[in-house]
Amino acid sequence: MGKLYKFWPVPVGVEHFKDHTTLNKKLRDDIDIIKNEKTQQNRSGVGIWQSCLFRDGYSSFDQLREMIKPVVYRFMTESGYHKHAMDYYNIDNFWVNYTSGPTGYHVPHIHGTGSVDWTGIYYPYGDGPFEIKSTNYPDPGSLVLYDPNGHMKHMVNPPDKVDLYPYYGLPMTIKPQEGLLVVFPTWVVHSVAPKRDTKKRMSIGFNVEKSI
């Protein structure tokens, strides 16, 4: 009997940590401190405060690293990495994204190059409940992941035929919720849809880097 092979899939790991409200509160408190202590670094955010990269100095971020590390490594091995390869990967630098304005957004971008294989985002704050959609019309403040072959697929099937071809070249959008972790290969282009309210939006970015 024949077998369906999935060539060139795009792995995306999503984990919701439901019982870490104390840690999330510490992270939010430390983010307020970071905004005063760290230098702002302009990257993909428009109307967004983004910190420079940092590793140490905040116990809440050390706790976050230890919490997410086994989950990130599990997603990587499930996507095809050998489990022994995880000995050569580290979650080192973090950075903070913060906005309370009604129009903040991130333009399409990727994270890291060279030694960076995977990247991730953790949400210490978010309205939720988190929701994953295949759509050209993301909810405000949603993370938007783009199909690397989307432009080629649209040459075959127009994107307005979403009712006939769901998940075929359309962006995948994820509405954030407190405690949500999203990880994916660093070459996946992504953005954040503009906000439409004055509620705070906080996210913590990080890279998974190899040491060899």
Side-chain angles (χ1 to χ4, degrees):
M1 187 173 182
K3 179 180 179 180
L4 175 66
Y5 292 90
K6 296 181 180 180
F7 290 162
W8 308 297
V10 180
V12 177
V14 180
E15 178 78 25
H16 184 211
F17 296 90
K18 299 179 181 179
D19 301 319
H20 290 78
T21 55
T22 300
L23 173 58
N24 291 329
K25 174 64 166 55
K26 291 180 180 178
L27 287 167
R28 294 194 297 268
D29 290 343
D30 279 344
I31 286 174
D32 287 334
I33 296 173
I34 289 168
K35 286 181 61 187
N36 293 320
E37 292 183 347
K38 298 295 183 184
T39 302
Q40 180 176 356
Q41 187 172 18
N42 295 322
R43 291 193 297 274
S44 63
V46 179
I48 306 285
W49 189 92
Q50 295 181 275
S51 74
C52 59
L53 301 180
F54 63 92
R55 173 179 171 80
D56 302 310
Y58 306 93
S59 62
S60 64
F61 282 80
D62 294 334
Q63 289 180 254
L64 175 64
R65 180 185 289 109
E66 294 307 308
M67 181 181 76
I68 65 177
K69 184 186 296 184
V71 177
V72 172
Y73 289 178
R74 173 170 58 84
F75 284 142
M76 291 177 69
T77 54
E78 287 178 357
S79 75
Y81 284 73
H82 196 286
K83 65 179 181 179
H84 295 307
M86 296 299 99
D87 294 338
Y88 302 100
Y89 283 88
N90 294 293
I91 298 174
D92 284 330
N93 295 316
F94 291 107
W95 66 92
V96 168
N97 308 294
Y98 174 92
T99 182
S100 59
T103 58
Y105 65 95
H106 289 260
V107 299
H109 64 286
I110 62 171
H111 291 173
T113 57
S115 62
V116 178
D117 270 16
W118 279 51
T119 191
I121 306 157
Y122 181 77
Y123 298 92
Y125 178 87
D127 293 331
F130 87 87
E131 185 178 12
I132 300 176
K133 295 181 181 179
S134 174
T135 179
N136 275 321
Y137 306 99
D139 293 326
S142 291
L143 173 67
V144 183
L145 303 171
Y146 297 94
D147 185 343
N149 294 312
H151 63 293
M152 298 295 292
K153 294 175 180 178
H154 292 167
M155 295 175 64
V156 179
N157 291 314
D160 60 343
K161 301 294 185 181
V162 63
D163 55 329
L164 299 177
Y165 311 107
Y167 307 104
Y168 194 85
L170 290 178
M172 299 300 299
T173 70
I174 302 177
K175 183 178 180 180
Q177 180 176 1
E178 180 178 337
L180 190 68
L181 170 71
V182 183
V183 293
F184 45 88
T186 193
W187 42 261
V188 175
V189 178
H190 56 285
S191 66
V192 175
K195 290 172 75 274
R196 294 180 183 173
D197 55 42
T198 56
K199 294 180 180 179
K200 292 181 180 179
R201 186 185 190 280
M202 298 181 184
S203 66
I204 299 168
F206 62 89
N207 289 327
V208 185
E209 301 187 44
K210 56 181 176 287
S211 57
I212 58 172

